[in-house]
Amino acid sequence: MIDISNLHTGLYIGGDWHDGQETFTTHNPATGQPLAELAAAGASDVDAAVDAAESAFRGDWGALAPSRKGVLLNTLADLVERDVERLAALESIDMGRPVGMGAAMMIPNLIASLRYYAGWADKINGDLIANDGYMGGPAPTHAYTRREALGVVATIVPWNAPLMILGWKLAPALACGNTVIIKPAEDASLSILHLAELVTEAGFPPGTVNVLPGLGKVAGEALALHPRVAKISFTGSTETGRAILRNSATNFKRTALELGGKAPQIIFDDADLDAAIQGTAMGLFFNQGEVCAAGTRILAHRKVYDAVIDGLKGAAQVQVVGDPFDAATTMGPLVNERQRDRVLDYMKIGVGEGADVITGGSAPEGPGYFVEPTVLAGTNEMTVAREEIFGPVGVVVPFDTDEEAITLANDNQYGLSATVWTNDLSRAHTVSARVEAGAVGVNGWSPLAPQLPWGGVKASGIGRELGYEGILAYTETKTVTIVL
Ligand code: NAD
């Protein structure tokens, strides 16, 4: 467990902590008991945060040399590294993930993003553009582009991997010279509040980073509507993404939307079956299945279908569901009661539509929002294979030909990621090219690394984060032409 009594729970605006006019209570999902009382930002707090972020953008942060910005990002990475255990524990007590998983993967991912973009901060260049004389005449022109920061960027993040996902937005936004307002998810603000303390300790100019805990409908909506927020970078549900896109139209905000998924994992009969089953199980049960890229549609070639079913059943049954602070635990509770009930409802719908429960299918007795790791056998038409469940539930669907596998994979509104299991090189490339997804992993889950662009197609969102695309996403091109 972890002591949170000394954690700031207010609004972090302009480098200081402020009380909110309202508060809200978060709960520990492993026990269902109240955990913390946090300030809830209102519209006037959003205005104050925009004022602070804007004056840092026009002032100390904007004036800071690019290489100094990089140094500060690296300093923040050092502090996150120092506090990795505490940050992982704060996320576990808030949203339920086994603590070792956060310490080994999610928090290090934030550190990697901060360091990667620290390196970019003084390497953001425009182009010198060859062109004809001025208006086609004899006077030569000197034309070039500048990549300029956007201004105040709002980031709205979900509860399933708060710091990791925040890092994909915060690090490039700062490296490009923007200032940032963070709206954490209601259910998982604690690690981001601790990060705010580290921002102060690192020595960022006040107002460069601001944190507004609060409700999506209030603080999130006010940010999306705000006329002086230049960009909104959102990760969350498709439904909220639609609302943010509508609200962003007020001032034509730049938007990046990383939304839901229903990732196919296609297992061909030539695959290394042990690796495929192990990898598929990880794609199902990692982070309790609360992963946008969770590979919840397992398309198995009919020749290996029975072996896949048996293998996944075994992999589900060795999961240890329990206290996120117990080292033996591999799956903690789901984030809240609503999410637990939603997952159980989907299982009932699946059974009602004729899915076979291979293993799992219910919630263990006792307090907390735990759900059994569940494998269903069904068809691609069933609701459980069409909609994002966001819990540890996979549906296995058989196929006979490559063409059928691709058709099934693409027959879904989402297109975030996909995994292909095959040892046939030609098939690996062909299927990867034809699957509608922002990222395809062959013989392994798509790695989430700062160098690799990430984002979806179709209802999985708009835009890409990470890699050089992250730099493009947080800058705007200005063309300058000088008639010589
Ligand atoms: P959510 O959409 O309910 O909430 C996400 C964030 O949006 C929260 O901070 C919330 O407070 C805020 N919000 C809610 N209503 C808002 C509004 N009207 N205006 C502005 N902000 C608002 O999503 P969630 O339940 O927290 O997260 C789960 C969803 O996130 C899943 O659908 C999952 O697939 C998706 N997700 C996507 C990725 C990705 O990279 N594509 C990563 C993680 C999670």
Side-chain angles (χ1 to χ4, degrees):
M1 282 297 233
I2 174 172
D3 178 13
I4 58 166
S5 57
N6 57 354
L7 187 75
H8 281 289
T9 54
L11 310 172
Y12 180 70
I13 300 174
D16 289 323
W17 292 93
H18 303 265
D19 291 335
Q21 282 163 14
E22 316 235 347
T23 60
F24 69 104
T25 305
T26 61
H27 293 81
N28 177 345
T31 62
Q33 294 304 306
L35 178 62
E37 188 86 5
L38 307 181
S44 60
D45 303 311
V46 169
D47 282 338
V50 173
D51 286 345
E54 205 172 52
S55 68
F57 179 71
R58 299 196 192 292
D60 290 348
W61 179 249
L64 201 65
S67 61
R68 293 299 307 163
K69 291 186 171 97
V71 168
L72 283 176
L73 281 166
N74 266 324
T75 306
L76 185 59
D78 291 343
L79 296 175
V80 172
E81 206 156 29
R82 183 196 67 192
D83 289 0
V84 68
E85 301 293 337
R86 178 163 172 80
L87 289 163
L90 285 170
E91 293 206 343
S92 291
I93 203 168
D94 233 4
M95 52 68 69
R97 174 201 309 129
V99 68
M101 221 177 253
M105 297 185 71
M106 274 76 173
I107 313 303
N109 188 282
L110 166 66
I111 297 166
S113 293
L114 290 167
R115 294 209 189 289
Y116 173 79
Y117 283 106
W120 266 110
D122 58 359
K123 297 170 193 69
I124 301 170
N125 303 320
D127 291 314
L128 180 65
I129 306 199
N131 63 103
D132 291 343
Y134 184 62
M135 300 285 188
T141 61
H142 172 61
Y144 62 94
T145 54
R146 295 166 49 84
R147 294 216 69 86
E148 297 187 342
L150 305 173
V152 178
V153 170
T155 65
I156 301 183
V157 290
W159 42 259
N160 62 330
L163 284 178
M164 180 175 90
I165 291 171
L166 174 63
W168 303 349
K169 307 171 188 306
L170 180 71
L174 292 177
C176 292
N178 302 283
T179 52
V180 177
I181 301 173
I182 304 164
K183 213 300 276 167
E186 292 85 331
D187 284 305
S189 307
L190 301 187
S191 63
I192 295 178
L193 290 168
H194 184 83
L195 184 77
E197 295 175 19
L198 302 185
V199 166
T200 301
E201 191 180 341
F204 282 83
T208 307
V209 178
N210 306 273
V211 179
L212 298 179
L215 309 185
K217 264 291 189 197
V218 182
E221 198 161 300
L223 284 166
L225 284 166
H226 205 287
R228 286 182 288 131
V229 170
K231 169 159 180 156
I232 197 137
S233 179
F234 169 74
T235 298
S237 63
T238 298
E239 193 189 330
T240 305
R242 275 200 189 95
I244 288 179
L245 195 57
R246 274 196 302 272
N247 291 333
S248 295
T250 44
N251 64 330
F252 301 100
K253 269 181 204 70
R254 278 56 186 141
T255 48
L257 304 174
E258 305 280 343
L259 309 175
K262 192 73 192 176
Q265 305 216 42
I266 311 174
I267 307 177
F268 288 98
D269 57 346
D270 65 66
D272 172 342
L273 217 50
D274 287 343
I277 287 165
Q278 207 181 25
T280 301
M282 179 181 129
L284 274 181
F285 305 132
F286 181 72
N287 211 46
Q288 302 76 240
E290 294 167 318
V291 177
C292 51
T296 50
R297 280 191 301 146
I298 301 107
L299 310 179
H301 191 279
R302 202 169 304 268
K303 279 194 195 152
V304 295
Y305 177 80
D306 288 341
V308 168
I309 292 268
D310 282 352
L312 288 179
K313 181 177 177 183
Q317 289 176 349
V318 298
Q319 298 294 321
V320 181
V321 181
D323 177 0
F325 288 88
D326 183 331
T329 297
T330 62
M331 272 177 50
L334 300 191
V335 70
N336 58 32
E337 189 172 12
R338 184 167 43 90
Q339 187 66 12
R340 194 260 322 260
D341 292 348
R342 178 185 136 99
V343 172
L344 293 175
D345 283 349
Y346 269 116
M347 292 179 187
K348 273 195 213 125
I349 293 169
V351 171
E353 290 179 5
D356 287 334
V357 180
I358 304 300
T359 185
S362 52
E365 292 287 317
Y369 309 126
F370 298 90
V371 170
E372 291 173 351
T374 298
V375 179
L376 306 173
T379 70
N380 202 46
E381 283 70 43
M382 290 176 176
T383 306
V384 284
R386 304 204 73 74
E387 297 183 10
E388 182 178 52
I389 298 176
F390 225 57
V393 184
V395 190
V396 190
V397 175
F399 71 86
D400 290 297
T401 65
D402 288 27
E403 202 55 40
E404 188 187 1
I406 293 164
T407 302
L408 289 171
N410 291 341
D411 180 21
N412 195 275
Q413 65 166 323
Y414 292 113
L416 185 61
S417 62
T419 311
V420 180
W421 298 92
T422 180
N423 277 319
D424 179 328
L425 190 60
S426 165
R427 179 180 267 155
H429 284 291
T430 313
V431 176
S432 298
R434 291 187 60 197
V435 168
E436 294 163 0
V440 179
V442 178
N443 295 335
W445 226 12
S446 293
L448 294 170
Q451 301 82 1
L452 301 175
W454 178 253
V457 299
K458 305 199 283 190
S460 291
I462 297 174
R464 293 289 175 275
E465 303 194 292
L466 299 177
Y468 178 54
E469 305 229 9
I471 298 296
L472 300 180
Y474 288 98
T475 51
E476 198 95 73
T477 303
K478 179 185 278 175
T479 305
V480 181
T481 308
I482 303 173
V483 182
L484 300 174

